[in-house]
Protein backbone atom coordinates (compact mmCIF):
# COMPACT_ATOMS: atom_id res chain seq x y z
CA UNK A 1 0.00 0.00 0.00
CA UNK A 2 1.51 3.30 -1.10
CA UNK A 3 1.84 6.11 1.40
CA UNK A 4 -0.81 8.83 1.00
CA UNK A 5 -0.13 12.21 2.56
CA UNK A 6 -3.54 13.10 4.01
CA UNK A 7 -2.31 16.50 5.19
CA UNK A 8 -1.29 17.38 1.64
CA UNK A 9 -4.66 16.22 0.27
CA UNK A 10 -6.48 18.64 2.58
CA UNK A 11 -3.92 21.39 2.00
CA UNK A 12 -2.98 21.76 5.67
CA UNK A 13 0.09 21.51 7.84
CA UNK A 14 0.78 18.51 10.09
CA UNK A 15 0.28 20.82 13.07
CA UNK A 16 -3.27 21.73 11.97
CA UNK A 17 -5.94 21.92 14.69
CA UNK A 18 -9.21 19.95 14.63
CA UNK A 19 -11.03 23.11 13.57
CA UNK A 20 -8.61 23.70 10.69
CA UNK A 21 -9.00 20.08 9.54
CA UNK A 22 -12.79 20.36 9.56
CA UNK A 23 -12.72 23.66 7.65
CA UNK A 24 -10.28 22.29 5.05
CA UNK A 25 -12.35 19.13 4.59
CA UNK A 26 -15.56 21.07 3.96
CA UNK A 27 -13.80 23.27 1.41
CA UNK A 28 -12.29 20.34 -0.52
CA UNK A 29 -15.46 18.22 -0.31
CA UNK A 30 -17.49 21.03 -1.84
CA UNK A 31 -14.89 21.57 -4.55
CA UNK A 32 -14.73 17.93 -5.68
CA UNK A 33 -18.28 16.75 -4.87
CA UNK A 34 -19.63 14.45 -7.64
CA UNK A 35 -22.81 16.53 -7.95
CA UNK A 36 -20.71 19.53 -8.96
CA UNK A 37 -18.31 17.53 -11.15
CA UNK A 38 -20.42 15.00 -13.09
CA UNK A 39 -18.43 12.50 -15.17
CA UNK A 40 -15.14 13.96 -13.90
CA UNK A 41 -13.06 10.95 -12.87
CA UNK A 42 -10.24 13.06 -11.47
CA UNK A 43 -12.66 14.99 -9.25
CA UNK A 44 -14.21 11.70 -8.15
CA UNK A 45 -10.80 10.40 -7.11
CA UNK A 46 -10.02 13.66 -5.29
CA UNK A 47 -13.38 13.46 -3.48
CA UNK A 48 -12.64 9.91 -2.30
CA UNK A 49 -9.18 10.92 -1.11
CA UNK A 50 -10.65 13.95 0.69
CA UNK A 51 -13.14 11.75 2.56
CA UNK A 52 -10.44 9.26 3.43
CA UNK A 53 -8.14 12.00 4.71
CA UNK A 54 -10.89 13.44 6.89
CA UNK A 55 -11.82 10.01 8.24
CA UNK A 56 -8.27 9.55 9.49
CA UNK A 57 -7.28 13.05 10.62
CA UNK A 58 -10.56 14.13 12.24
CA UNK A 59 -10.22 11.54 15.01
CA UNK A 60 -7.31 12.05 17.44
CA UNK A 61 -6.71 8.33 17.94
CA UNK A 62 -6.51 7.41 14.25
CA UNK A 63 -4.53 10.58 13.52
CA UNK A 64 -1.95 9.60 16.15
CA UNK A 65 -1.64 6.14 14.61
CA UNK A 66 -1.28 7.64 11.13
CA UNK A 67 1.41 10.08 12.28
CA UNK A 68 3.31 7.21 13.91
CA UNK A 69 2.87 4.35 11.42
CA UNK A 70 2.17 6.09 8.12
CA UNK A 71 0.50 3.85 5.51
CA UNK A 72 0.25 0.98 8.01
CA UNK A 73 -1.63 3.03 10.63
CA UNK A 74 -4.68 0.72 10.55
CA UNK A 75 -2.53 -2.14 11.79
CA UNK A 76 -0.88 -0.20 14.60
CA UNK A 77 -2.36 -2.48 17.27
CA UNK A 78 -1.24 -5.57 15.38
CA UNK A 79 2.30 -4.22 15.03
CA UNK A 80 2.42 -3.68 18.79
CA UNK A 81 1.15 -7.20 19.34
CA UNK A 82 3.79 -8.52 16.97
CA UNK A 83 6.54 -6.75 18.91
CA UNK A 84 5.32 -8.38 22.10
CA UNK A 85 5.38 -11.78 20.40
CA UNK A 86 8.88 -11.30 19.07
CA UNK A 87 10.55 -12.87 22.09
CA UNK A 88 8.24 -15.89 22.07
CA UNK A 89 9.24 -16.85 18.53
CA UNK A 90 5.98 -15.76 16.84
CA UNK A 91 7.23 -12.51 15.34
CA UNK A 92 8.12 -13.71 11.85
CA UNK A 93 5.05 -15.96 11.58
CA UNK A 94 2.84 -13.00 12.39
CA UNK A 95 4.22 -10.84 9.61
CA UNK A 96 4.29 -13.71 7.13
CA UNK A 97 0.60 -14.41 7.76
CA UNK A 98 -0.16 -10.72 7.44
CA UNK A 99 1.79 -9.95 4.28
CA UNK A 100 2.16 -13.41 2.70
CA UNK A 101 5.19 -15.69 2.50
CA UNK A 102 6.08 -18.64 4.69
CA UNK A 103 3.46 -17.99 7.35
CA UNK A 104 0.11 -19.66 7.98
CA UNK A 105 -1.02 -19.24 4.38
CA UNK A 106 1.74 -21.52 3.06
CA UNK A 107 0.78 -24.19 5.57
CA UNK A 108 -2.77 -24.31 4.23
CA UNK A 109 -4.34 -22.34 7.07
CA UNK A 110 -6.09 -19.03 6.67
CA UNK A 111 -4.16 -15.79 7.13
CA UNK A 112 -4.94 -13.15 9.72
CA UNK A 113 -8.08 -11.21 8.74
CA UNK A 114 -8.33 -7.53 9.58
CA UNK A 115 -11.50 -5.51 9.93
CA UNK A 116 -12.01 -2.84 7.27
CA UNK A 117 -11.59 0.84 7.91
CA UNK A 118 -14.51 2.78 9.42
CA UNK A 119 -15.74 5.65 7.30
CA UNK A 120 -16.87 8.98 8.71
CA UNK A 121 -19.07 11.46 6.90
CA UNK A 122 -20.86 14.67 7.80
CA UNK A 123 -24.33 15.43 6.48
CA UNK A 124 -25.57 19.02 6.52
CA UNK A 125 -29.32 19.57 6.80
CA UNK A 126 -31.64 22.44 7.68
CA UNK A 127 -33.87 22.37 10.74
CA UNK A 128 -36.97 22.19 8.54
CA UNK A 129 -35.59 19.10 6.79
CA UNK A 130 -35.39 17.08 10.01
CA UNK A 131 -38.86 18.10 11.20
CA UNK A 132 -40.14 15.10 9.24
CA UNK A 133 -38.55 11.77 8.37
CA UNK A 134 -36.59 12.21 5.16
CA UNK A 135 -34.50 10.11 2.78
CA UNK A 136 -31.12 10.93 1.32
CA UNK A 137 -28.68 9.20 -1.01
CA UNK A 138 -25.05 9.64 0.05
CA UNK A 139 -22.04 8.98 -2.13
CA UNK A 140 -19.30 7.47 0.02
CA UNK A 141 -16.10 6.53 -1.81
CA UNK A 142 -17.99 6.12 -5.06
CA UNK A 143 -20.77 4.02 -3.55
CA UNK A 144 -24.37 5.26 -3.28
CA UNK A 145 -25.98 4.59 0.10
CA UNK A 146 -29.70 5.25 0.67
CA UNK A 147 -30.33 6.60 4.13
CA UNK A 148 -33.58 7.15 6.03
CA UNK A 149 -33.19 10.00 8.52
CA UNK A 150 -35.75 9.86 11.35
CA UNK A 151 -37.49 13.10 12.29
CA UNK A 152 -36.05 14.85 15.33
CA UNK A 153 -32.38 14.13 14.70
CA UNK A 154 -30.19 16.57 16.65
CA UNK A 155 -27.25 18.74 15.68
CA UNK A 156 -24.01 16.83 16.26
CA UNK A 157 -25.79 13.48 16.55
CA UNK A 158 -23.99 10.51 15.03
CA UNK A 159 -25.43 7.27 13.71
CA UNK A 160 -23.71 4.05 12.66
CA UNK A 161 -24.50 2.07 9.52
CA UNK A 162 -22.99 -1.35 10.01
CA UNK A 163 -20.93 -2.90 7.25
CA UNK A 164 -20.82 0.19 5.00
CA UNK A 165 -17.19 1.02 5.68
CA UNK A 166 -14.01 -0.17 3.98
CA UNK A 167 -13.46 -3.70 2.75
CA UNK A 168 -11.88 -6.14 5.18
CA UNK A 169 -8.32 -7.32 4.65
CA UNK A 170 -7.57 -11.01 4.11
CA UNK A 171 -11.20 -12.02 4.59
CA UNK A 172 -11.85 -9.74 7.56
CA UNK A 173 -15.25 -8.05 8.10
CA UNK A 174 -16.14 -4.71 6.58
CA UNK A 175 -15.85 -1.54 8.61
CA UNK A 176 -18.82 0.65 9.56
CA UNK A 177 -20.02 4.03 8.33
CA UNK A 178 -20.48 6.79 10.91
CA UNK A 179 -22.59 9.76 9.85
CA UNK A 180 -22.57 12.96 11.89
CA UNK A 181 -25.42 15.43 11.39
CA UNK A 182 -24.78 19.15 11.15
CA UNK A 183 -28.14 20.92 11.52
CA UNK A 184 -28.32 24.50 10.28
CA UNK A 185 -31.20 26.70 11.46
CA UNK A 186 -32.61 29.12 8.90
CA UNK A 187 -35.90 29.50 10.75
CA UNK A 188 -37.10 32.05 13.30
CA UNK A 189 -37.39 29.33 15.92
CA UNK A 190 -34.80 28.42 18.51
CA UNK A 191 -34.50 24.75 19.38
CA UNK A 192 -33.62 23.27 22.75
CA UNK A 193 -33.81 19.48 22.54
CA UNK A 194 -37.44 18.83 21.55
CA UNK A 195 -38.82 22.25 22.50
CA UNK A 196 -39.06 25.27 20.21
CA UNK A 197 -38.98 28.96 21.16
CA UNK A 198 -40.28 31.93 19.19
CA UNK A 199 -40.79 35.66 19.76
CA UNK A 200 -44.04 37.18 18.47
CA UNK A 201 -44.71 40.92 18.16
CA UNK A 202 -47.83 42.19 19.95
CA UNK A 203 -49.37 45.62 19.37
CA UNK A 204 -50.16 47.90 22.31
CA UNK A 205 -53.92 47.78 21.89
CA UNK A 206 -54.14 43.97 21.82
CA UNK A 207 -51.86 43.84 24.84
CA UNK A 208 -54.03 46.29 26.82
CA UNK A 209 -57.51 45.26 25.71
CA UNK A 210 -56.97 41.65 24.69
CA UNK A 211 -57.38 40.20 21.24
CA UNK A 212 -56.15 37.50 18.93
CA UNK A 213 -52.90 36.84 17.07
CA UNK A 214 -52.01 34.27 14.41
CA UNK A 215 -48.76 32.41 15.06
CA UNK A 216 -46.90 30.27 12.53
CA UNK A 217 -45.49 26.96 13.74
CA UNK A 218 -43.10 24.83 11.68
CA UNK A 219 -45.97 23.06 9.91
CA UNK A 220 -49.12 25.16 10.40
CA UNK A 221 -50.71 28.32 11.79
CA UNK A 222 -52.51 28.66 15.13
CA UNK A 223 -54.65 31.45 16.57
CA UNK A 224 -53.91 32.58 20.10
CA UNK A 225 -56.19 34.55 22.35
CA UNK A 226 -54.38 37.42 24.06
CA UNK A 227 -55.48 38.20 27.59
CA UNK A 228 -56.16 41.85 28.49
CA UNK A 229 -53.22 43.64 30.12
CA UNK A 230 -50.66 41.20 28.73
CA UNK A 231 -47.18 42.40 29.67
CA UNK A 232 -44.08 42.64 27.49
CA UNK A 233 -42.10 39.40 27.73
CA UNK A 234 -45.12 37.31 28.75
CA UNK A 235 -44.81 33.64 27.71
CA UNK A 236 -47.36 31.17 26.39
CA UNK A 237 -46.81 27.41 26.01
CA UNK A 238 -48.33 25.54 23.08
CA UNK A 239 -48.24 21.91 24.13
CA UNK A 240 -47.19 19.42 21.46
CA UNK A 241 -46.33 22.13 18.91
CA UNK A 242 -42.58 21.77 19.29
CA UNK A 243 -40.10 19.44 17.58
CA UNK A 244 -40.71 15.70 17.01
CA UNK A 245 -39.05 13.39 19.53
CA UNK A 246 -36.35 11.28 17.86
CA UNK A 247 -37.61 7.76 17.00
CA UNK A 248 -40.84 8.26 18.99
CA UNK A 249 -43.53 8.62 16.37
CA UNK A 250 -46.34 10.97 17.29
CA UNK A 251 -44.48 12.56 20.24
CA UNK A 252 -43.54 16.24 20.13
CA UNK A 253 -41.99 18.81 22.40
CA UNK A 254 -43.67 22.12 23.19
CA UNK A 255 -43.58 25.54 21.53
CA UNK A 256 -42.96 28.53 23.81
CA UNK A 257 -44.13 31.94 22.59
CA UNK A 258 -42.68 35.14 24.06
CA UNK A 259 -44.61 38.36 23.39
CA UNK A 260 -42.64 41.39 22.29
CA UNK A 261 -44.68 44.55 22.84
CA UNK A 262 -44.50 46.96 19.89
CA UNK A 263 -45.29 50.57 20.77
CA UNK A 264 -46.97 52.77 18.12
CA UNK A 265 -44.84 55.36 16.34
CA UNK A 266 -45.55 58.47 14.24
CA UNK A 267 -48.55 59.42 16.39
CA UNK A 268 -50.98 61.97 14.99
CA UNK A 269 -51.93 65.05 17.00
CA UNK A 270 -55.28 63.50 17.86
CA UNK A 271 -53.63 60.28 19.07
CA UNK A 272 -51.24 62.24 21.27
CA UNK A 273 -54.17 64.13 22.80
CA UNK A 274 -55.94 60.84 23.54
CA UNK A 275 -52.82 59.46 25.22
CA UNK A 276 -52.57 62.66 27.29
CA UNK A 277 -56.17 62.21 28.37
CA UNK A 278 -55.44 58.61 29.32
CA UNK A 279 -52.38 59.69 31.25
CA UNK A 280 -54.44 62.26 33.19
CA UNK A 281 -57.01 59.60 34.03
CA UNK A 282 -54.28 57.42 35.53
CA UNK A 283 -52.86 60.16 37.73
Amino acid sequence: MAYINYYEILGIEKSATESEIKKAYRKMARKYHPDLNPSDKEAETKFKQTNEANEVLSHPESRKKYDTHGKDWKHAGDFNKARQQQYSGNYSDFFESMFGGRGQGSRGGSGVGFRGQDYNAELQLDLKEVYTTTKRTLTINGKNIRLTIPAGVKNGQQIKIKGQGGEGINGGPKGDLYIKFSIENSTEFKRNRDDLYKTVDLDLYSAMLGGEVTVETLDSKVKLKVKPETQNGAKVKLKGKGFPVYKKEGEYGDLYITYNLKLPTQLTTEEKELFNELQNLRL
Side-chain angles (χ1 to χ4, degrees), residues 119-236:
Y119 291 161
N120 293 274
E122 183 175 278
L123 180 58
Q124 294 184 344
L125 297 168
D126 190 75
L127 188 68
K128 287 183 178 179
E129 294 180 286
V130 292
Y131 184 74
T132 57
T133 296
T134 185
K135 295 182 182 295
R136 286 287 187 276
T137 299
L138 305 182
T139 302
I140 306 295
N141 282 0
K143 182 179 179 181
N144 290 333
I145 299 174
R146 287 187 59 81
L147 176 67
T148 298
I149 306 168
V153 68
K154 295 177 175 60
N155 182 46
Q157 184 173 340
Q158 182 173 263
I159 63 173
K160 179 178 78 172
I161 303 179
K162 190 173 179 61
Q164 293 293 342
E167 295 289 338
I169 298 174
N170 208 16
K174 288 185 176 181
D176 300 324
L177 169 62
Y178 291 87
I179 299 178
K180 184 177 180 181
F181 294 97
S182 177
I183 310 299
E184 303 291 337
N185 187 358
S186 63
T187 74
E188 56 187 0
F189 298 89
K190 290 184 179 180
R191 180 187 182 188
N192 183 10
R193 297 184 180 178
D194 302 318
D195 293 329
L196 294 175
Y197 297 81
K198 181 179 181 179
T199 299
V200 173
D201 289 338
L202 185 65
D203 66 86
L204 174 65
Y205 312 105
S206 296
M208 292 295 97
L209 305 175
E212 192 175 75
V213 293
T214 299
V215 176
E216 289 191 5
T217 68
L218 270 177
D219 66 345
S220 63
K221 293 182 179 181
V222 295
K223 288 186 177 181
L224 296 181
K225 287 188 175 181
V226 180
K227 295 179 180 180
E229 300 181 11
T230 294
Q231 300 297 304
N232 183 52
K235 291 180 171 57
V236 177

Side-chain angles (χ1 to χ4, degrees), residues 14-68:
K14 194 172 182 179
S15 59
T17 63
E18 289 185 21
S19 176
E20 290 172 335
I21 292 172
K22 185 176 182 179
K23 183 178 180 181
Y25 165 68
R26 287 182 174 179
K27 178 182 177 181
M28 301 300 286
R30 282 195 297 267
K31 180 178 180 181
Y32 295 114
H33 197 282
D35 291 346
L36 301 178
N37 302 274
S39 303
D40 188 335
K41 294 297 182 182
E42 183 178 353
E44 181 180 342
T45 300
K46 293 280 190 181
F47 184 71
K48 291 179 181 179
Q49 291 177 341
T50 298
N51 275 321
E52 184 177 336
N54 180 63
E55 287 157 12
V56 176
L57 300 183
S58 63
H59 292 79
E61 185 177 344
S62 59
R63 181 182 182 183
K64 182 178 180 181
K65 290 178 181 178
Y66 171 74
D67 289 343
T68 303

